[in-house]
Amino acid sequence: MSMKRGKTQFAHIFLGMLSIVAFASACSADPETIIQTVVVTNEVEKQVDVIQTVIVTNEVEKQVDVIQTVIVTNEVEKLVTPTPAPASPKGPVTWTIGFPEDVTTYNIWDIIGPASTAYNFYAFANQYPTLMGLSDKRFDYVPVLAAEFPTDPAQEGDFWVTTVGLKKAKWSDGSPITADDFVFTVDTALTMEIPGNWSSNIDKDVVDHAEAVDGSTLKIYFKSAPGLSRWQFGLAQQAIVSKKFWEPLVNEIKAAGGSLEDQRSALFAIQPENEPIAGEMDFIKWEEGAFVSMDRNDDYFWQDSVVKQYANGAYEATDKSGTFVAYGSAGGDVDLQVTRGVQSDTVNFSVFASQDAAVLALRGGEIDYFLSPLGLSSGLKSQVQGQPGIATIQNPANGFRYLGFNLRRAPMDSTEFRQAVATLIDKEFLAERILQNAAVPIYTVVPEGNGFWWNPEVPQFGKGMTREDRINDVVVKLKGAGFTWTKEPAWNADGRKVDAGEGLKDPNGVVVPELEILTPSAGYDPLRATAGIWIEQWLKEAGIPVKANLTGFNVIVPRVYDEQDFDMWILGWGLTVYPDYLADFFTSDHAGLGDLNAGGYSNPEFDALAKDFIGETNLDAARTKAFTLQAFLAEDLPYVTLFTTPIIEAYRTDSFDFAYTEVIDGLQNYFQWMNGPLSNTVFE
C-alpha cells in the first residue's frame, strides 16, 4: 500500500466516522452546494492555538490549542466575499472589525503560551505557517507549507522518524521559509519548556528533536510512535516562526543565564517589531486600549492559489509550487472551487468598552463586523436585526462556560466539596428560567454537538433535584467528608425556602474563610455575570461563605493562569473537535504557571489514563478512552461545566457578503487561521 493511499484512508475514515451533526437550518430552496463539512473548534476565553482550523472552540476567550480537529455537518456552502470597491475611482479597501476586549501582546511565543486569549488569536495567530492543515470546505487533512503528506513515522534506531518536504514559500521580508525555521521553532519550545499550547503541540515526552536535511526537507524524531493528538492534530499544525528574526533574540536571552522561568519571561516581554510573517496581513501598530492595525502582505505565498474539491472525494490544490492531488482522482463534478487572494489593503481591529458600544458602532457604520467568541447577546441582536445594511446570524457553539477550582487551596481540594458545589448549582433553572433559554446546560467538558466524542453517560450532580433535595444531599455529603457547621443549613417546609447554614468548618476544624469567585462583568458577558451571582446565592444558602467578584476578562486571565492566585473562577473555552484538551486541561504536567491546568488538578490515576489517550493512534480506541476520561472528570470535578450558548454574530452587508453563514461556532473562528477571511477565500 502506498504512503499516499494510506493517508487517504486515514482521513476518509476519520471524517466518515464523524459525520454526525446536521444543521436542519442549512437547507434552503436553492442551495448552491451541499456537502459534508468538517469544522474545527478553539475556546473560549483562554484560547488554544488554532492553526489552519476553524474553531470549534469557541467562545474562546482563553483558548486552547485547537489543532486540526473535526466535526462534520451538512450545510449550504458559500464563503466570504467582500463587496467590491467602486470600479472608478478604485481606492484602498479597509475593513474595520470591532473587539469587545483588547489584545494583550503581539508576541507569538506568549500568544501560543500563557497569553492565548481569543483576541490575541484573532489578530495575530493567522500570521504563521504550519506544515499541515484542513481543507476549506470538507476540512480534509491536507498540506499547507508541506509539499505533500509527511511520510508515516517509522522506527529508525531509538526514534520514530517522519520526513517532510516543504514548498518554496517566503516570509513577508522576502526571505525563504525553510526547514531551519521549523527546527528552530521546535528546539526553542523544547529547550525553554514553553507552556500552554507549545507544550501540548511540541510535547517533550513525545518529540525529541527535528533536523534540516536541506532547506526544503526536514526530519522529525519522536521518542515513540506518536499518537493522533501529538502528531496529526498537534505538531503537524504548530505555528512556525522565522529563525532569522528570532534566533539572535533567543540566543541573547540564553546567554544572559537565569532560570528557565526568567528566560521565558524575557522571551514573552519582547515586542517583535518588523517580525517576518507568512499570513495575509502584516502587523503595523497596536495602540493599547484602542486598535490594532494590519496592512496586506504582498509576499503572501498563497495569493491566487486555487483549490478544487470534487464530488468523488478528491482534493486538488494548485499554487506557486505546483499541483497536489489527494483522496482520489481529480475529475468529474466539482463540489467546491476556492481561489485565494488578499482583498483588503488594511484591517483595523477596534476595541470597544462593551458590546453595547460595539453595536452602536455597527449600526452607525463605524465598524463592518463585530468579532467576539461570545457573539452577541439576544438583547443586542434585537437592536441590529432588521436594520438596513446589517445581517445577523446564529450558529451552535463548540465550547462551554464553567466554574473552576483552585485545588491547591482548602476546601476546593476536597472532592466532596466540589461535588457539593455542583449539586447546589441548578443548571436547568439557570439556563431556562434566569437566562431565558439563551443557554443550554452541560455536564461534561465535551459538548453534545461534538457527538462522536460526547459521552452522555457521565455523572450529573444535582440534575432533576428540587431545592430541598439539593440541600439535604449537600449536608450529608459534606458531613460525611468531615465538614461541620455551627448551624446546619436546612429546608424550611413551611416557608418553602432554605434556612441558610453558618460557620462552616473544613475537616481539619478550620473555619472556611470567604471565598472569591472571579467572574466576568456584565459588560463583557451578562450570562456569566448572572450565573456568578446565582452561584454565590446558592452556595451561601448551604453555609459556604463566598462572593462573586465581577471584574474584567483581562483581569481574570492573568490572576488565574499567570499568577494562580484565586479560589474559584468562571470563564469559558472554545474547543477542538479532537478532544486532546481532556489531557491538556487537567494533567499534572500542565499545572505550572502560564499553563493550561490553572486549577492544579493532580490525580495519578487520571494522568495515566490521559497519557494512554494522548498516545492512541487508533480512532475508535481513542473514542473509548475519551469517554472514560469524561466520566472521570465529571465525578472528580476540577471543573463544574455550566452551559453552552449559540453564537450570534452581526456584520454590515455593504462591506461583506459572506457566502455562507451556517457553520458550527460561527464565522468568528475563521479569523484564527491563516488563509481565513482576511485572505478573502472566495467560493466560486
Side-chain angles (χ1 to χ4, degrees):
M1 180 179 294
S2 70
M3 175 195 68
K4 186 169 290 187
R5 180 179 294 275
K7 288 292 182 181
T8 300
Q9 288 184 345
F10 165 78
H12 281 175
I13 289 171
F14 191 40
L15 301 189
M17 295 181 70
L18 291 174
S19 301
I20 47 179
V21 179
F23 292 134
S25 61
C27 299
S28 64
D30 297 297
E32 293 187 17
T33 306
I34 299 180
I35 64 175
Q36 285 192 325
T37 302
V38 179
V39 178
V40 194
T41 73
N42 192 337
E43 186 157 54
V44 222
E45 300 173 357
K46 178 122 175 145
Q47 186 152 256
V48 161
D49 182 24
V50 184
I51 303 295
Q52 293 296 73
T53 54
V54 181
I55 285 186
V56 259
T57 256
N58 186 315
E59 175 182 24
V60 197
E61 301 168 357
K62 181 117 173 146
Q63 180 155 272
V64 174
D65 187 23
V66 189
I67 300 291
Q68 306 305 38
T69 42
V70 188
I71 216 173
V72 180
T73 177
N74 296 325
E75 57 182 291
V76 179
E77 192 56 43
K78 290 176 162 186
L79 196 52
V80 182
T81 308
T83 301
S88 178
K90 183 176 181 180
V93 177
T94 298
W95 295 345
T96 303
I97 298 170
F99 275 5
E101 197 71 43
D102 200 3
V103 301
T104 62
T105 179
Y106 54 96
N107 180 316
I108 191 61
W109 300 102
D110 199 12
I111 290 170
I112 300 181
S116 54
T117 72
Y119 308 100
N120 292 338
F121 269 68
Y122 289 149
F124 304 113
N126 49 39
Q127 296 179 321
Y128 301 89
T130 62
L131 295 178
M132 302 294 292
L134 298 180
S135 66
D136 284 275
K137 185 56 186 175
R138 292 194 305 248
F139 290 83
D140 301 323
Y141 180 69
V142 297
V144 179
L145 184 61
E148 58 184 0
F149 288 125
T151 62
D152 292 326
Q155 193 161 10
E156 293 183 12
D158 294 333
F159 300 107
W160 289 75
V161 183
T162 182
T163 301
V164 189
L166 305 182
K167 298 173 182 175
K168 297 186 183 302
K170 293 182 179 181
W171 294 106
S172 56
D173 65 356
S175 63
I177 302 174
T178 70
D180 287 319
D181 294 313
F182 182 88
V183 172
F184 169 77
T185 302
V186 170
D187 180 70
T188 302
L190 288 173
T191 57
M192 298 188 74
E193 298 181 11
I194 302 178
N197 292 308
W198 291 106
S199 61
S200 298
N201 297 335
I202 308 175
D203 188 336
K204 62 184 176 60
D205 293 329
V206 178
V207 180
D208 189 82
H209 69 284
E211 67 178 35
V213 177
D214 55 43
S216 59
T217 309
L218 65 89
K219 297 182 76 172
I220 304 170
Y221 293 78
F222 299 98
K223 296 179 180 179
S224 58
L228 296 169
S229 68
R230 292 304 190 246
W231 174 222
Q232 289 90 345
F233 299 100
L235 181 58
Q237 299 177 49
Q238 171 60 51
I240 302 167
V241 304
S242 167
K243 176 182 178 181
K244 175 184 174 182
F245 178 85
W246 281 103
E247 185 177 45
L249 299 171
V250 170
N251 286 346
E252 182 180 349
I253 290 171
K254 291 181 176 179
S259 66
L260 282 176
E261 184 175 346
D262 292 337
Q263 292 181 28
R264 288 191 294 266
S265 296
L267 179 64
F268 297 154
I270 292 172
Q271 296 183 8
E273 304 294 341
N274 301 313
E275 177 192 9
I277 55 89
E280 308 91 295
M281 308 300 293
D282 198 354
F283 170 68
I284 300 300
K285 183 179 181 180
W286 171 29
E287 186 73 34
E288 289 193 48
F291 66 87
V292 173
S293 185
M294 305 275 194
D295 281 354
R296 66 182 296 141
N297 171 19
D298 290 327
D299 283 305
Y300 176 57
F301 177 77
W302 289 269
Q303 181 77 24
D304 299 323
S305 61
V306 177
V307 171
K308 294 180 181 179
Q309 294 177 173
Y310 294 88
N312 66 2
Y315 169 91
E316 178 185 76
T318 302
D319 56 32
K320 296 172 186 176
S321 66
T323 298
F324 170 85
V325 177
Y327 307 126
S329 299
D333 294 338
V334 176
D335 281 340
L336 175 68
Q337 180 166 316
V338 180
T339 301
R340 301 192 189 284
V342 180
Q343 295 297 309
S344 178
D345 298 285
T346 300
V347 173
N348 294 319
F349 297 99
S350 296
V351 181
F352 292 86
S354 66
Q355 285 195 8
D356 303 76
V359 166
L360 286 175
L362 183 67
R363 293 182 62 176
E366 298 173 37
I367 63 174
D368 303 301
Y369 176 63
F370 178 61
L371 180 57
S372 168
L374 309 175
L376 291 174
S377 68
S378 298
L380 290 177
K381 176 184 177 182
S382 65
Q383 294 184 26
V384 295
Q385 195 167 29
Q387 293 291 319
I390 298 178
T392 59
I393 56 175
Q394 180 169 315
N395 288 287
N398 183 33
F400 61 83
R401 274 86 155 188
Y402 65 93
L403 170 71
F405 302 92
N406 188 347
L407 282 79
R408 303 173 187 87
R409 297 179 179 178
M412 285 71 68
D413 60 347
S414 165
T415 301
E416 290 81 6
F417 176 83
R418 300 192 300 273
Q419 291 175 346
V421 170
T423 301
L424 290 167
I425 299 172
D426 191 337
K427 299 177 186 179
E428 283 69 26
F429 177 82
L430 181 64
E432 297 166 10
R433 298 282 296 279
I434 304 303
L435 302 181
Q436 299 181 348
N437 292 310
V440 179
I442 56 173
Y443 287 86
T444 175
V445 295
V446 178
E448 183 176 357
N450 191 1
F452 181 80
W453 298 101
W454 173 60
N455 181 2
E457 303 297 332
V458 300
Q460 299 179 337
F461 287 95
K463 186 173 183 179
M465 285 186 173
T466 64
R467 199 82 230 139
E468 178 181 5
D469 293 335
R470 294 174 192 273
I471 286 295
N472 292 339
D473 183 82
V474 164
V475 169
V476 172
K477 195 180 301 294
L478 290 181
K479 288 176 69 174
F483 287 84
T484 59
W485 293 263
T486 55
K487 174 188 173 185
E488 284 187 12
W491 176 253
N492 185 324
D494 294 332
R496 305 297 301 168
K497 65 181 182 66
V498 177
D499 290 335
E502 297 175 2
L504 181 66
K505 294 182 180 180
D506 69 20
N508 295 317
V510 177
V511 174
V512 175
E514 182 175 83
L515 305 173
E516 179 186 39
I517 304 177
L518 292 170
T519 306
S521 66
Y524 180 72
D525 183 3
L527 300 186
R528 273 173 294 179
T530 302
I533 292 169
W534 276 86
I535 290 171
E536 173 191 317
Q537 175 181 319
W538 286 326
L539 267 58
K540 281 183 173 179
E541 287 181 345
I544 300 172
V546 65
K547 178 67 176 178
N549 178 9
L550 275 59
T551 187
F553 170 70
N554 282 340
V555 173
I556 298 173
V557 170
R559 275 195 60 184
V560 172
Y561 288 91
D562 300 337
E563 303 165 20
Q564 296 178 349
D565 178 21
F566 64 94
D567 298 316
M568 292 176 272
W569 84 102
I570 295 176
L571 277 180
W573 284 107
L575 305 168
T576 57
V577 178
Y578 190 88
D580 50 356
Y581 57 84
L582 287 167
D584 297 337
F585 288 176
F586 303 110
T587 52
S588 57
D589 60 337
H590 282 284
L593 290 174
D595 219 328
L596 301 175
N597 180 7
Y601 179 64
S602 180
N603 186 311
E605 184 181 356
F606 179 85
D607 283 352
L609 291 169
K611 183 177 181 180
D612 194 32
F613 168 66
I614 288 298
E616 185 53 64
T617 60
N618 177 272
L619 191 66
D620 287 331
R623 180 175 186 258
T624 298
K625 292 171 182 178
F627 274 40
T628 300
L629 292 177
Q630 289 176 71
F632 199 109
L633 292 169
E635 180 74 29
D636 228 16
L637 292 172
Y639 285 179
V640 176
T641 52
L642 299 174
F643 53 82
T644 187
T645 60
I647 296 292
I648 302 171
E649 299 171 282
Y651 62 92
R652 295 202 63 86
T653 56
D654 49 6
S655 297
F656 292 107
D657 178 18
F658 289 99
Y660 75 81
T661 57
E662 293 176 337
V663 56
I664 190 169
D665 242 13
L667 297 169
Q668 50 98 12
N669 281 316
Y670 289 105
F671 285 86
Q672 302 182 62
W673 52 287
M674 198 172 68
N675 301 340
L678 297 181
S679 68
N680 181 35
T681 304
V682 180
F683 284 59
E684 301 172 343

